Amino acid sequence: MNANPADLRRPDWTVPLAAACVACSWFLMSSLNTDLGFVQLQFRFYHVLTLMHAPRRIVTGVDGSTLDALLFGTLCALVNLAALAPMVSRRRIAWLGCVAPFALMVLSGAILYHGLSQDLIADTGALGDTGSQLIHFANSLATRIGGVMTRRIHVGAGAYLAVAATAFLAVKGLLGYRRAL
C-alpha cells in the first residue's frame, strides 16, 4: 500500500459527521429520562454539572437557565470543537482533540456515579451511638428510596448516540495520532 503520509494526516468526512452527532446528542436529545408516572423529566448532557451539584434534581428537574448548564454547555461545545482540530491543523497532536469528547463523558459519568452513590448523611461520630444509629437509619431509608427511584431513571437516546459517536471519535483520533508520525 503506497499511501501518501499527508493523506494519512488528513481526516475524512467521518470526523465532522461524528462531531455533529455528538453535538446533536449533547444539546438536542435527552441523555437521561426520569419517569415519575404523572411527570416525565428529560435531561440533556449539558445538565450533568447541575446533577453533580444537586443529585436531587434528577427527580425534581432542572431549570434550563441555570448557570451550571450554561458553563457546562460552553465546556461541551468547546470540547466538541476540539474534535475538529485535525480539520484545521496538520500537527500530530491535533488528533488527540478527537479523544476529548469521550474523555469528558467518561469523567462526567464517573463523577456523577460517585456523587450519587455516597451516603446521604456522613457519620463523623460526633453525635455518639444514638446519633450514629439515627444516621445509619436515615442512610438505609435513603438507599431504599433511591433503589425505587433508580427504576424510574432511564438512559435516553442521546446518551447512546453520544457514547457511540465519542467512542468512534476517540478511536479515530488515536489511530490518526499513531499514523501521523
Side-chain angles (χ1 to χ4, degrees):
M1 179 173 169
N2 295 332
N4 184 1
D7 291 337
L8 292 175
R9 284 188 220 115
R10 184 171 300 145
D12 56 12
W13 60 271
T14 60
V15 171
L17 177 64
C21 288
V22 171
C24 287
S25 66
W26 282 358
F27 295 104
L28 301 177
M29 301 171 73
S30 66
S31 294
L32 285 175
N33 299 316
T34 303
D35 183 9
L36 300 175
F38 56 92
V39 68
Q40 295 172 352
L41 305 171
Q42 295 183 345
F43 303 96
R44 289 175 173 71
F45 184 70
Y46 61 85
H47 290 130
V48 167
L49 185 62
T50 304
L51 295 176
M52 284 186 221
H53 283 145
R56 65 175 157 59
R57 296 266 182 117
I58 205 158
V59 293
T60 61
V62 293
D63 184 3
S65 62
T66 63
L67 182 61
D68 287 344
L70 178 66
L71 292 174
F72 197 69
T74 303
L75 176 66
C76 290
L78 293 173
V79 165
N80 198 27
L81 285 175
L84 298 175
M87 302 295 293
V88 295
S89 176
R90 299 243 184 246
R91 296 179 61 201
R92 179 180 185 212
I93 196 84
W95 281 103
L96 294 180
C98 291
V99 179
F102 185 74
L104 180 64
M105 285 196 65
V106 168
L107 183 64
S108 299
I111 292 171
L112 187 59
Y113 176 78
H114 177 71
L116 291 173
S117 65
Q118 297 296 311
D119 282 339
L120 179 65
I121 304 168
D123 186 7
T124 60
L127 300 176
D129 288 340
T130 306
S132 292
Q133 290 175 352
L134 188 58
I135 289 172
H136 178 69
F137 173 73
N139 285 331
S140 299
L141 187 61
T143 300
R144 285 186 181 197
I145 292 171
V148 170
M149 288 309 303
T150 301
R151 291 187 286 257
R152 303 271 185 200
I153 300 168
H154 307 285
V155 177
Y160 290 116
L161 178 60
V163 167
T166 58
F168 175 82
L169 277 172
V171 169
K172 188 83 167 172
L174 292 174
L175 291 174
Y177 181 79
R178 284 186 61 199
R179 285 188 208 134
L181 297 173

